[in-house]
Amino acid sequence: MKIRPGLAMAVSALAVMLSAPVQAADIIVTNATLFDGTGSDPVKNANIIIEDGRIKGVEIGDTSETATLVIDAGGKTVMPGLINAHFHLFFDFYSSPPVNPATSDETAEAYIRDVMPGRLQSHLEQGITSLFSPIDYAPHIFNLRDQVASGEISGPRLFISGPILMHSGNHYACSGDTDAAKAWCNERISLPIDTPDQARASVQKLVSDGADVLVFDAVSNQETLQKDAFSAMIDEAHRLGKRIVSHNLDARDVPFMLEAGIDGFIHAPSLFRDTDGTLLTEAGKRGLPLPATLGFYQRYIAEGHANSADIEEYETQKHNIELMYAAGATPLFASDMPGLPAPEVVPTVTGVMSGLGLDNKTILLSATRNVARNLLGRDDLGTIEPGQIADLILVDGDPLTDLAALTRVEVVIKDGSLAVDKR
Ligand SMILES: [Zn+2]
């Protein structure tokens, strides 16, 4: 339909007159000490104005803005919602023995219907407003992401990789007790990359299915690394505009992966201790994203379950992480530990990161801006600035001086709506 120019001008002028002077914002958070996630120092007496799911503005001191809902932060800290860079939603390795709650499409659907809403809500209540799931069952994880995005299920915004790209064969997570369950699991969580053509086809399938970031495993089911297939996989991901990161990777293969263009890591490269830094320093220098997913090891060791091989594996990962952080890798806040009860996520991850010597500001940025930018490739999340998606939390205390404040989340706003209010 075409509108005559004069009429169009009149219509738009009327729209401005109707909307501009009378519209109140949706939410104003007043009297906040604002840690905005940009790297700047916190500012006191901040007002955060939220409208249509976005940050409309940040004003210091008095504001003339009005809103449907005013939340007085009482001088407490307001910061961007937390983003967990690595958590599998369908697995439970936390229980002993580990539980695989889905062994068929029917049980996966039932799990989403009966269990998942409670689990996701629990993560949201901890201030986790986004979560990256690397490896979960397709198509169920794609459906779940859509159900959360539409508001049908309340929970953190999900970013997903879907199945993992790997050499064909059994994936270690497929511990279903029957052959049928194991076959179902492998089919749902992995896509093969045995040849360059197959690697490109699998990447194309993931991208057309809607994966946000692609994830691969380079240690399973092969004697030596199939370099031509991995090169094709990474090239195809980039050709289609997607980032691709490693889940499991031998440290000795990192130089090749850097040459091929890998975008980061969601576990530290393991299996080999890079004692002289020749393998991993370059990845650090490039500032590639790297989480410290050491929580499981530390738990096993603390509970006395770890054998000498476990401890050696832990020490290797820890050494490689420290080396890469020292060289400049970007720390990411990530728990992994599928099945970990949500209230334990923040204390576990901050404990691991502090134990590695990271300062509180680095840890806060690792859970906000840096995971959004460096892993997810999103510049509209992870900071509190005009135009950003309005995901923010109110915490009791100053997490810059006391990380335990992050466990005292009082209010969660996600997508510009009040999602949790514990006050
Ligand atoms: Zn994982």
Side-chain angles (χ1 to χ4, degrees):
M1 185 180 76
K2 270 190 168 180
I3 296 179
R4 282 178 290 121
L7 180 61
M9 279 172 65
V11 167
S12 67
L14 181 64
V16 168
M17 281 168 62
L18 286 175
S19 65
V22 293
Q23 188 170 1
D26 298 323
I27 300 177
I28 297 181
V29 183
T30 62
N31 193 18
T33 299
L34 177 64
F35 176 84
D36 65 11
T38 64
S40 304
D41 289 335
V43 287
K44 291 187 186 305
N45 299 318
N47 304 284
I48 300 106
I49 301 136
I50 297 165
E51 197 173 279
D52 295 333
R54 299 267 172 174
I55 309 287
K56 182 182 176 193
V58 175
E59 296 180 7
I60 309 303
D62 294 332
T63 175
S64 57
E65 291 274 355
T66 58
T68 309
L69 175 64
V70 176
I71 296 173
D72 185 349
K76 293 175 182 174
T77 300
V78 170
M79 61 177 285
L82 306 175
I83 308 173
N84 188 347
H86 188 155
F87 194 81
H88 305 278
L89 287 164
F90 273 102
F91 298 91
D92 182 359
F93 297 168
Y94 189 80
S95 303
S96 183
V99 179
N100 201 343
T103 52
S104 64
D105 288 329
E106 292 70 31
T107 49
E109 283 164 15
Y111 192 70
I112 287 183
R113 189 183 61 237
D114 302 334
V115 181
M116 202 70 90
R119 292 190 64 202
L120 290 178
Q121 180 65 23
S122 175
H123 286 272
L124 194 59
E125 285 170 6
Q126 306 309 313
I128 295 167
T129 51
S130 293
L131 184 152
F132 179 54
S133 143
I135 318 171
D136 267 310
Y137 299 119
H140 307 287
I141 190 70
F142 291 98
N143 298 339
L144 181 64
R145 178 188 61 186
D146 296 345
Q147 284 174 286
V148 172
S150 71
E152 195 179 324
I153 294 178
S154 172
R157 172 182 298 98
L158 300 182
F159 293 94
I160 58 176
S161 69
I164 193 165
L165 296 155
M166 60 179 271
H167 205 74
S168 60
N170 188 50
H171 189 277
Y172 59 86
C174 295
S175 54
D177 46 11
T178 65
D179 285 348
K182 200 182 266 188
W184 176 84
C185 173
N186 279 303
E187 194 187 304
R188 292 290 186 249
I189 66 161
S190 61
L191 279 172
I193 50 167
D194 297 345
T195 66
D197 284 349
Q198 194 183 45
R200 288 187 189 276
S202 290
V203 166
Q204 287 163 13
K205 172 161 175 49
L206 279 180
V207 174
S208 75
D209 284 350
D212 295 296
V213 174
L214 308 188
V215 174
F216 67 90
D217 175 313
V219 300
S220 300
N221 306 324
Q222 55 195 328
E223 292 285 306
T224 54
L225 192 73
Q226 303 297 307
K227 289 187 175 176
D228 53 352
F230 281 95
S231 289
M233 172 194 75
I234 294 170
D235 180 66
E236 190 66 13
H238 290 166
R239 195 180 70 78
L240 296 173
K242 290 292 172 186
R243 292 178 178 224
I244 183 161
V245 298
S246 76
H247 194 257
N248 292 315
L249 177 60
D250 188 321
R252 288 163 290 196
D253 292 326
V254 169
F256 160 74
M257 291 295 177
L258 292 175
E259 208 176 300
I262 185 181
D263 296 302
F265 310 86
I266 53 166
H267 279 305
S270 58
L271 299 184
F272 187 83
R273 190 180 301 212
D274 184 18
T275 44
D276 61 5
T278 50
L279 301 171
L280 302 177
T281 300
E282 176 61 22
K285 281 187 181 167
R286 291 191 192 182
L288 292 183
L290 172 74
T293 48
L294 297 172
F296 256 141
Y297 291 103
Q298 292 185 353
R299 180 168 172 248
Y300 285 140
I301 292 168
E303 292 178 354
H305 301 314
N307 58 31
S308 59
D310 295 330
I311 293 172
E312 170 63 23
E313 214 177 283
Y314 167 71
E315 294 293 345
T316 296
Q317 285 226 16
K318 184 165 173 283
H319 169 87
N320 289 349
I321 291 168
E322 287 172 333
L323 189 157
M324 291 169 79
Y325 282 167
T330 304
L332 295 183
F333 176 98
S335 63
D336 190 26
M337 301 179 75
L340 182 70
E344 293 182 39
V345 168
V346 169
T348 300
V349 179
T350 55
V352 169
M353 297 181 89
S354 292
L356 291 168
L358 299 175
D359 62 62
N360 291 4
K361 183 174 179 181
T362 300
I363 293 171
L364 296 184
L365 293 176
S366 82
T368 53
R369 179 193 68 187
N370 290 352
V371 62
R373 304 286 187 281
N374 297 49
L375 176 70
L376 303 172
R378 293 286 294 251
D379 55 14
D380 56 353
L381 265 185
T383 64
I384 297 178
E385 299 173 280
Q388 294 290 89
I389 290 174
D391 284 4
L392 46 105
I393 58 176
L394 169 64
V395 302
D396 181 14
D398 176 9
L400 275 174
T401 56
D402 175 20
L403 285 170
L406 289 181
T407 63
R408 297 190 295 272
V409 172
E410 295 191 343
V411 172
V412 179
I413 293 171
K414 184 193 154 213
D415 272 323
S417 295
L418 183 64
V420 175
D421 188 352
K422 301 180 191 171
R423 296 171 303 160

